[in-house]
Amino acid sequence: MIGKSLPQVTFKTRVRDEAIGGDNPFRWQDMTTEDYFKGKRVVLFSLPGAFTPTCSTFQLPDFEKLAGDFEAKGIDAIYCLSVNDAFVMNAWAKQQNLKNVQVIADGAGEFTRKMGMLVCKDNLGFGMRSWRYAAIVNDGVVEAWFEEPGYADNCETDPYGESAPQNVLEKLSAKAAKAA
Ligand code: BEZ
């Protein structure tokens, strides 16, 4: 995966626009892969579902808490992607009180499919979702890759460790020390 250019897709986002007025001042806005990744060195992590226990209790809040450490290591942004629609991802971001991590809704799973990370989770009634992984992405190209072991459809377990922020940060620090 290292050296791979991210797939070029268009994400359907919901953004607040006060000009709309009323109780629900949101509109659709297209965002492309380039909009998110061009000219930046970012951490992307992708997980099986918004509001799920491991994602909500550990992975997302820990990335949020450690954002300053990532910034100190030269990371410009942290993106959390899931095969969920923009309404769900926005609601999750609000519930998690995110200030540092931006969510990316891959509602139709196109980005995840083109990354080769789409798995069937029908055993949980989820349909097609993302296998859990993280990556350091530099100007749209994968620089480092952190994939949970055992990629499979309808996996009975939910491995979590490789794509944890603590692990990504440790590898990022080791890489920086080696380069110095
Ligand atoms: C979890 O994050 O704990 C989880 C993810 C996918 C399915 C079930 C649980």
Side-chain angles (χ1 to χ4, degrees), residues 131-132 147-152 155 157 159-162:
W131 189 250
R132 209 187 278 279
E147 180 179 331
E148 298 300 337
Y151 171 97
C155 189
T157 58
Y160 176 60
E162 206 35 52

Side-chain angles (χ1 to χ4, degrees), residues 48-49 52-56 121 124 126 132 158:
T52 55
T54 303
C55 309
S56 287
K121 292 189 96 58
L124 299 174
F126 277 24
R132 209 187 278 279
D158 179 25

Side-chain angles (χ1 to χ4, degrees), residues 62-122:
D62 285 354
F63 267 108
E64 173 71 19
K65 277 185 220 132
L66 291 168
D69 296 34
F70 280 103
E71 192 180 353
K73 293 276 173 281
I75 294 299
D76 302 313
I78 304 175
Y79 298 137
C80 170
L81 183 142
S82 181
V83 181
N84 288 113
D85 64 66
F87 293 98
V88 169
M89 291 303 272
N90 283 359
W92 195 32
K94 192 172 174 190
Q95 183 241 15
Q96 292 272 328
N97 197 23
L98 296 183
K99 301 280 181 271
N100 304 307
V101 176
Q102 293 175 60
V103 293
I104 301 181
D106 184 27
E110 184 186 358
F111 179 88
T112 302
R113 178 171 56 79
K114 290 177 174 170
M115 285 296 285
M117 288 289 110
L118 200 62
V119 286
C120 176
K121 292 189 96 58
D122 283 4

